[in-house]
Amino acid sequence: MTLDLFGSVQRKVPEHEDLLPGVVVLRRRALADDAALVAASHSVTSISPFRHMVTPGGFTMSVAMSNCGEWGWVTDRTGYRYDRLDPQTGKPWPPMPAIFETLATEAAAEAGFANFTPDACLINRYEPGARMSLHQDRNERDFSQPIVSVSLGLPAVFQFGGDQRADKTVRVPLAHGDVIVWGGPARLRFHGILPLKRGDHPLLGAQRINLTFRRAG
Ligand code: SIN
Ligand code: FE2
């Protein structure tokens, strides 16, 4: 604990936090590269724009999505899957920017997952009110590979549950630059994002951008 200038007690946020078995939070890990990550994300979405996809149940997602890398995660009335082509452009997803891949591989290694080579990056855009309900990431082939998730822009509350939807959840506040890595015993835990609160971020305005890296193929 440290006292700040105004004498109030502040708990020091650890930079490497073992949240649960197989879950590591790397606070501010992406901060030094934030502007370059945002620019790279813009270059992807200028080719494959953000869009609101439809779930198999017919609901339009509040989170807008795009992808880069060899595989992109998509959903429509026929189901969830990875596709090499962007269904909106009919072309391959833009290549994964080198700065994305480097960050994902390094963060995974720091969290204890060596040799992570992502072939898919889902880019999620949350505007105030957008949320992601509890779900498992299970469209990937190899569950021994972890997931690396980077938060940029407005803060959000990430929920981690158990392996069953009804299991109780822990809430993790995620701020601009935070990276969360999960795998091993945590790979199939349910997780989600609570509705985004209003705000104005200096770099991203009224939005949160999340980069989710996976080995899909
Ligand atoms: C996801 O689970 O795909 C998104 C998580 C996040 O936005 O942090
Ligand atoms: Fe997910």
Side-chain angles (χ1 to χ4, degrees):
M1 301 249 255
T2 53
L3 290 178
D4 70 15
L5 272 180
F6 305 98
S8 56
V9 178
Q10 292 199 320
R11 190 169 290 135
K12 196 168 183 303
V13 182
E15 283 188 2
H16 181 126
E17 182 189 344
D18 292 295
L19 187 75
L20 295 163
V23 184
V24 176
V25 185
L26 303 169
R27 295 283 176 200
R28 299 178 294 273
R29 178 62 180 76
L31 198 56
D33 291 322
D34 62 353
L37 292 164
V38 169
S41 162
H42 282 152
S43 70
V44 169
T45 57
S46 68
I47 298 168
S48 277
F50 283 118
R51 80 289 308 262
H52 293 272
M53 298 191 210
V54 176
T55 66
F59 293 101
T60 300
M61 298 185 80
S62 59
V63 178
M65 298 175 168
S66 182
N67 289 278
C68 59
E70 200 178 328
W71 295 98
W73 186 85
V74 292
T75 174
D76 59 20
R77 291 305 298 244
T78 69
Y80 305 126
R81 64 185 175 280
Y82 281 95
D83 205 311
R84 286 181 186 275
L85 301 181
D86 175 347
Q88 194 164 307
T89 65
K91 299 198 177 113
W93 298 100
M96 194 181 301
I99 190 169
F100 280 17
E101 192 170 351
T102 304
L103 172 63
T105 302
E106 288 181 0
E110 288 161 28
F113 300 96
N115 307 317
F116 176 53
T117 49
D119 59 8
C121 173
L122 173 65
I123 308 179
N124 290 311
R125 184 188 69 196
Y126 296 74
E127 289 173 325
R131 59 192 285 270
M132 178 110 35
S133 54
L134 283 179
H135 65 278
Q136 291 171 297
D137 287 8
R138 51 181 322 142
N139 298 121
E140 301 76 28
R141 285 224 178 97
D142 179 2
F143 295 146
S144 75
Q145 295 285 323
I147 293 168
V148 175
S149 172
V150 178
S151 293
L152 297 166
L154 290 181
V157 179
F158 192 99
Q159 281 186 296
F160 247 114
D163 290 347
Q164 306 295 323
R165 189 180 292 279
D167 290 346
K168 72 178 195 331
T169 59
V170 292
R171 292 181 174 192
V172 193
L174 293 178
H176 178 68
D178 288 351
V179 177
I180 182 163
V181 181
W182 69 97
R187 180 62 180 73
L188 290 175
R189 276 184 184 260
F190 277 84
H191 58 279
I193 294 281
L194 295 182
L196 197 78
K197 296 230 165 80
R198 280 175 204 290
D200 185 23
H201 188 269
L203 200 55
L204 282 160
Q207 54 182 347
R208 168 178 186 260
I209 299 290
N210 162 257
L211 311 173
T212 296
F213 296 94
R214 309 187 184 99
R215 181 95 207 159

